[in-house]
Amino acid sequence: MDSARATRRPSARLWLAGLWLALVFIAAIAAPLLAPQDPLAQDLLYERLPPFWMAGSESGYPLGTDSLGRDLLSRLIYGARIAVIVALVAAFAACLLGSALGLIAGYFGGWADRIISRLVDIWMAFPPVLFAILLVAVLGTGLHSVIIAIAVIDWTRFCRVVRAETMVQARMDYIENARIVGFGRWRIMLSEVLPNVLPPIIALLSLEMGIAVIVEAILSFVNLSISTDDPTWGGIIAEGRLSIHQAWWILVFPLITLFLTVLSFSQFGEGLKSRFDPVLR
Amino acid sequence: MILQKFLLRLMTMAVTLFGVAVVVFVVIRVAPGDPIAMMLPPGAGPEDIERLRALYGLDKSLPQQFVIWLGGVLQGDFGTSISLRQDVLSLVLGRLPATLELATLALLMALAIGGPLAILGARERGTAVEAGIDVAGGAALSIPDFLWGLLLILVFGVLAPIFEISGRVSPSLDLPFATQFYLVESILRLRFDLTADLLAHMFIPALALALPLAAIITLLLKQSLKEVMDLDYVVLARVKGFSETQVILREALKNAALPTLTLIGVQFTFLIGGTVIVERLFSYEGLGNMAIDAVINRDLPLIQGIVLVFALIFVLINLAVDLSYALLNPRLRHG
């Protein structure tokens, strides 16, 4: 009972998560206006400057600089651009692909279901990070490759959930009624079943956006994402891991940013799910 | 009937492994960039390239290459690594123990954290303690192992440098081991100085892998415990005068554990998948770290071998879960 109560009052979490995500989106859109410095400008006189509250900091570099003297805050703000693009495009692509296959498998059953379920089994037998690294290595580094890799790997999450939900819905009376009225199978699937499996899809979509941001950071970390000059959160983290004993702040700030973003996407998804769920509402 | 089901299950496993082999084979061969050209010194002539292509079988058509490779794999021959010029199977078997030890330690840590927290949460149900466990569990669950690893590096590697954050064992140590199962062997040989050094290296990466799983165990086991806490036999035990903790440990736990056990099996495959990046993060010399190097070096035979071994581990774990579920669940056992 009390766990139901906890999910029934999601508004504080939903709003806090939404607030942080809004900040990230604004940073991405208005990066040139918000960033105090050019994120690519190197200044070897200013390398590894500490953040503003420590001795030796410089005004204009509030969070300090990395080992090439580039402003950390500016790089974090510009890094939000890649993160937001990957979160939106890759998660939507994975969602579309997975939900479509899940609907087909769940609604039509039979051979379609058998083939799609086997595909899911095969995909689940790959270690996902290794699969992503492999795909990006094959496709060549760049934003397109990262997005394609995430969509090609993570569609199974959507497929499994949508398939199971669709199978439940397809047995319900209203589907039978629609069939008696003479609706075609595709029409029933898209206009009757789909709206009813939407709530879990939306929650998963938000979760997937957080996962996509992490996967991009991991790919940047192993130096396989975007070009190494462009600021990405994972790239800054890789740099911070190397100079962790000289300048801990290079790792701390992108890490906090990623933590909050991933946590917000998952909390936002949970919050939306309980909003949409007719039983809980 | 049961045998039939088991055979069908083995067939599906074989189909899955075959599918993985096909996918990885096709994916790495549409890659632009010639692995042979990369391993030759500058100034090598076209005939040198041709000779090496023939040596690694890359001059044949794709289906031919696949049949040759699969035939080899079925006989235990995974080919020769292009970048390391060694037998792929012995390379993989040399690194696999390191990954298995890390993953197993992580699983044990997840159980050691998740189990007691679940019992505590079930005992203190409806209180602030349970609410705190729920919040912490929810957060731990949504943060992936990669981020936990980075955070733990900062805390235990820099702020309070208690543990090692790089490598598997201190390079200065003399290792008397006959196998690659360093941790197991150090215990068996009673060399606890080495055990301590190994654990100091493994502790943070294992904890990073363990935390998301520990959260899942906590939340699910607590839920299952709470569901059985009001059943007749549990109430009876309470009437007999057992304390709440005793009731949980003696009566509730064994009936509530089944859903958690099933889930741990599935989640353990995710944990093993996570070793790839966590090993990279901690420069831990396991299979995942070698896999990333293999991808960067375009070492086709090695990539194929490693992916197939991971896939084999995953399907074997799933099989073990299904079997133990059938053995443990009384309804299936007698049905």
Side-chain angles (χ1 to χ4, degrees), chain B residues 38-108:
Chain B
M38 281 174 67
M39 62 187 283
L40 282 172
E47 63 277 10
D48 295 323
I49 295 181
E50 274 319 304
R51 202 150 34 83
L52 266 178
R53 290 183 70 84
L55 182 66
Y56 286 100
L58 296 174
D59 54 343
K60 303 197 171 60
S61 73
L62 269 191
Q64 270 178 313
Q65 286 184 40
F66 183 72
V67 170
I68 292 171
W69 176 66
L70 198 68
V73 166
L74 291 176
Q75 295 167 29
D77 175 14
F78 283 69
T80 309
S81 155
I82 294 177
S83 63
L84 301 168
R85 303 186 192 192
Q86 289 176 46
D87 180 44
V88 166
L89 188 62
S90 55
L91 282 171
V92 169
L93 291 181
R95 286 292 189 101
L96 185 60
T99 299
L100 289 181
E101 284 191 342
L102 183 66
T104 310
L105 182 66
L107 179 65
L108 294 177

Side-chain angles (χ1 to χ4, degrees), chain B residues 201-225:
Chain B
H201 283 85
M202 292 166 81
F203 185 81
I204 311 186
L207 185 59
L209 290 166
L211 281 174
L213 179 55
I216 294 173
I217 293 174
T218 305
L219 297 177
L220 187 70
L221 184 59
K222 178 168 72 70
Q223 195 55 42
S224 309
L225 280 173

